[in-house]
Amino acid sequence: MEDVQFFIEVLVGGLLSGVMYSLVAIGFVLIYKTSGVLNFAQGALLLFAALTFVSLHERGVPFWASIGLTLVLLAILGTLIERVVLRPLVNQPPITLFLATLGLSYVIEGGAQLLWGTQVHGLDLGIDDVPFEVGGVLISSFDLFAAATAALMVALITLFFRYTRIGLAFRAVADDPFAALAVGLRLTRIWAIVWTASGVVALVAGLLWGARLGVQFSLSLVVLKALPVLVLGGFDSIAGAIIGGLLVGATEKLAEVYIGPFLGGGIESWFAYVVALAFLLVRPSGLFGQKLVERV
Amino acid sequence: MTGPTPAQDAPLLVLEDVEATYNHAIVALRGVSLAVRRGEIRALLGANGAGKTTTLKAVSHLLPAERGQITRGHIRFDGEIVERTSPADLVRRGLVQVLEGRHCFRSLTVEENLLTGALGRSASRSEAQTDLERVYAFFPRLKEKRRTSAGLTSGGEQQMTAIGRALMARPRLLVLDEPSMGLAPLVVEAIFSTLRKLNETEGLTLLVAEQNSTVALRYAHRATVLENGRAVLEGPAAELRAREDIKAFYLGLRTPHRDGPLGGDSRSAA
Ligand SMILES: Nc1ncnc2c1ncn2[C@@H]1O[C@H](COP(=O)(O)OP(=O)(O)OP(=O)(O)O)[C@@H](O)[C@H]1O
Ligand SMILES: [Mg+2]
């Protein structure tokens, strides 16, 4: 009985941190779907967002005003990236775009450093991390709060893309950019919106991760957690990012606890990659990746 | 509306000596001139690689998206200089294209596809709803399939979806690139008679590129024949229809559909 309880505890902990992986992964998916770019700068964006928020807040700007100001900055950044990086590189091969985002991530990190300095900031979202008990299972209240926020975010994004006009335009561009152009959609505007949206996702993810790990430059490395999630779920599926995140979170924690001891522990950091690689061999397009529906 | 308002009898679309290339290297058009009058159905005929698609992409300012460019000449739509107007603005002004190969949004439903056509001109929800009913009246088949993913519908249904999507933008000039491509003769007839109905009842001007000259000449008022990137012949469709020699000479054998390099004479490295 205690074994079962312990198992559930590990599982729930894993799933909760998995939701946070999903959130990071969704930032990638949004951009990948519309521009076909694996946006390596997503991590830098996340860092930039969290750092901007914390720095503003530390200088006495109230919580929501800091959030608002950061959002404005992110929207400007998104528009700028579209103008300066994406637009001139339209029609270039994906590898060129990928390298451009790689460069971009250094520019953003450098810019963040210039603007806000290099010291580590603590971030307190005002959520006490006291574990509480549900049916004998201990759950971290911070993890629960983080997961709920992430889940809300995911739900909002899904509704937005399903039921609004911008969402419809977004899905059209993701499907066939050339046809979208011919139909009269302004691709540049949609790209700017999508980069802004992924900036918003980055802000929320950055705050949650920042509260857990401290806001510092290594925060941009959480993208490395998102990669296995993307491999599992498919680069172009929001649903895939969610399921992939949960899978990675759960497997990671379970493996750490149940397999770790036999391998000397510390497998949490790389086990997800092993799973992702194994998965890649079986299903290269991921669980939910585009399985082309064709019939002409 | 900006720019001068042209006289009612001025052509709706004018191409003047248009030369176009891809990658600044492959010359696809070598001086195409043509004028489409208001209210007419104009066919653009020519063999594989003659330059039909390139002409139409130039007209909708879509060449840059394919790494193509206009290197000489001008295109005017209702007085407006096309090369200086974005594709999105052209759509808003009433120049809408149905692309070669249909290009439906495959993962969107048929109805969502249609609705994307109304996004460009920022139609209100009720306007879009009215236009949707109008499209369904022209293509009842689409109403039955409204909740199906476009990628799962038949070729004919996809063509209807693509045309319907363009109609949602309320065009004044509808440009179609090979609407008959890969479709059964009956379906082709159905599509062309709907196009004719649009022309007759709503006065919609049509520019239709076709390899299937037999059908196109039956529905068009006038036709222009392209060869090697030049407009080599123009006249009333009835006249061209009567001259069998034209078909053999300019339109070539009705070869199955393309891709891959054709004879070297239709392209040249500059
Ligand atoms: N994207 C492209 N890049 C380079 N060359 C191109 C491109 N598209 C067309 N061409 C070349 O331009 C010329 C004209 O092609 P175009 O597609 O306009 O002909 P078409 O009349 O539409 O032919 P089809 O009946 O096969 O559709 C051809 O020689 C073709 O090889
Ligand atoms: Mg063509």
Side-chain angles (χ1 to χ4, degrees):
Chain A
M1 190 57 210
E2 236 159 63
D3 282 354
V4 176
Q5 253 173 22
F6 180 64
F7 174 83
I8 293 178
E9 211 166 282
V10 175
L11 182 66
V12 169
L15 289 174
L16 291 179
S17 58
V19 181
M20 286 177 50
Y21 296 156
S22 301
L23 194 58
V24 179
I26 281 172
F28 279 92
V29 171
L30 289 179
I31 290 179
Y32 187 82
K33 269 177 92 80
T34 36
S35 348
V37 190
L38 178 62
N39 174 28
F40 199 81
Q42 191 64 30
L45 213 54
L46 190 148
L47 170 72
F48 176 84
L51 202 55
T52 304
F53 169 82
V54 179
S55 305
L56 287 173
H57 197 39
E58 276 175 2
R59 282 167 177 70
V61 182
F63 184 90
W64 287 110
S66 303
I67 295 266
L69 276 172
T70 309
L71 287 179
V72 171
L73 265 176
L74 285 168
I76 294 173
L77 191 64
T79 314
L80 224 83
I81 290 172
E82 189 281 311
R83 222 19 91 79
V84 181
V85 183
L86 290 185
R87 205 179 292 185
L89 289 180
V90 146
N91 277 329
Q92 297 298 317
I95 184 70
T96 310
L97 286 162
F98 173 71
L99 290 176
T101 66
L102 193 65
L104 190 62
S105 74
Y106 285 103
V107 174
I108 295 176
E109 281 185 25
Q113 194 167 343
L114 265 180
L115 209 55
W116 306 120
T118 48
Q119 72 274 37
V120 179
H121 302 257
L123 172 58
D124 184 9
L125 295 175
I127 313 294
D128 290 333
D129 197 3
V130 280
F132 63 94
E133 206 188 300
V134 182
V137 176
L138 285 177
I139 297 175
S140 145
S141 59
F142 178 81
D143 281 359
L144 195 63
F145 165 79
T149 310
L152 180 70
M153 191 75 200
V154 169
L156 284 177
I157 288 174
T158 310
L159 291 176
F160 180 75
F161 285 120
R162 181 71 28 206
Y163 295 109
T164 66
R165 284 165 190 230
I166 295 174
L168 182 62
F170 165 87
R171 286 183 289 138
V173 174
D175 228 37
D176 189 334
F178 191 62
L181 190 66
V183 154
L185 301 182
R186 298 186 197 279
L187 298 198
T188 53
R189 189 176 294 175
I190 294 167
W191 284 333
I193 292 173
V194 167
W195 276 80
T196 305
S198 83
V200 173
V201 174
L203 172 61
V204 177
L207 292 182
L208 295 177
W209 280 105
R212 186 181 264 183
L213 308 173
V215 177
Q216 53 189 318
F217 277 76
S218 64
L219 196 58
S220 66
L221 295 179
V222 300
V223 288
L224 296 181
K225 287 284 186 192
L227 288 182
V229 174
L230 293 167
V231 171
L232 279 175
F235 284 84
D236 52 3
S237 163
I238 291 180
I242 298 167
I243 309 279
L246 293 175
L247 274 176
V248 167
T251 344
E252 218 175 56
K253 284 279 190 309
L254 289 173
E256 174 75 27
V257 170
Y258 290 99
I259 309 177
F262 301 105
L263 299 174
I267 69 169
E268 189 176 341
S269 54
W270 52 265
F271 191 75
Y273 277 90
V274 176
V275 175
L277 277 177
F279 196 78
L280 204 54
L281 299 175
V282 186
R283 245 192 98 93
S285 61
L287 279 174
F288 296 87
Q290 201 95 60
K291 174 169 85 249
L292 287 177
V293 274
E294 297 255 350
R295 191 183 128 197
V296 179
Chain B
M1 274 266 202
T2 55
T5 324
Q8 236 5 74
D9 55 351
L12 188 54
L13 179 75
V14 181
L15 286 84
E16 270 169 41
D17 193 27
V18 173
E19 189 182 84
T21 58
Y22 287 102
N23 292 315
H24 293 285
I26 301 164
V27 181
L29 302 182
R30 301 156 196 277
V32 172
S33 296
L34 103 109
V36 179
R37 300 169 191 175
R38 283 162 213 276
E40 79 169 337
I41 303 181
R42 169 69 61 93
L44 191 62
L45 307 176
N48 281 131
K52 304 182 294 293
T53 299
T54 309
T55 305
L56 298 193
K57 282 186 182 150
V59 160
S60 289
H61 201 175
L62 292 172
L63 276 183
E66 300 264 275
R67 287 185 242 182
Q69 46 283 130
I70 295 175
T71 46
R72 200 181 69 207
H74 289 291
I75 304 177
R76 278 167 197 277
F77 170 66
D78 212 13
E80 206 92 34
I81 297 172
V82 163
E83 309 95 273
R84 292 201 211 130
T85 316
S86 73
D89 283 330
L90 287 171
V91 169
R92 276 166 193 73
R93 296 195 175 139
L95 197 176
V96 189
Q97 177 155 180
V98 179
L99 296 170
E100 184 177 55
R102 311 186 259 276
H103 279 272
C104 290
F105 301 120
R106 299 181 152 269
S107 64
L108 271 57
T109 65
V110 166
E111 185 155 297
E112 283 173 335
N113 265 273
L114 297 177
L115 287 172
T116 60
L119 286 176
R121 65 182 168 86
S122 320
S124 73
R125 262 173 216 281
S126 70
E127 268 178 340
Q129 204 53 45
T130 316
D131 288 7
L132 208 52
E133 288 311 319
R134 180 173 151 254
V135 169
Y136 286 143
F138 280 112
F139 298 108
R141 193 110 189 89
L142 294 185
K143 191 157 192 173
E144 290 165 37
K145 297 273 173 175
R146 63 204 287 182
R147 309 221 179 282
T148 310
S149 294
L152 297 175
T153 61
S154 72
E157 286 156 357
Q158 288 185 17
Q159 187 65 62
M160 293 175 200
T161 304
I163 296 175
R165 184 175 67 184
L167 290 177
M168 293 293 288
R170 298 199 179 161
R172 291 185 292 142
L173 171 61
L174 184 61
V175 175
L176 300 107
D177 198 350
E178 304 222 29
S180 78
M181 192 188 211
L183 301 182
L186 268 175
V187 182
V188 173
E189 289 300 330
I191 283 173
F192 268 89
S193 36
T194 306
L195 291 177
R196 174 186 274 166
K197 196 155 84 188
L198 279 160
N199 172 260
E200 285 171 354
T201 60
E202 320 217 338
L204 181 63
T205 310
L206 295 163
L207 173 61
V208 189
E210 263 300 344
Q211 264 194 72
N212 187 341
S213 56
T214 319
V215 174
L217 285 175
R218 248 187 313 113
Y219 286 91
H221 301 122
R222 290 178 73 77
T224 303
V225 180
L226 288 185
E227 189 196 32
N228 278 339
R230 286 195 181 84
V232 290
L233 190 71
E234 188 184 315
E239 241 166 64
L240 297 190
R241 203 161 48 215
R243 290 171 54 182
E244 275 302 316
D245 57 314
I246 287 169
K247 246 180 249 173
F249 192 74
Y250 289 116
L251 308 178
L253 297 169
R254 295 277 319 287
T255 43
H257 238 277
R258 74 121 167 237
D259 280 331
L262 299 160
D265 60 346
S266 63
R267 48 172 76 206
S268 77

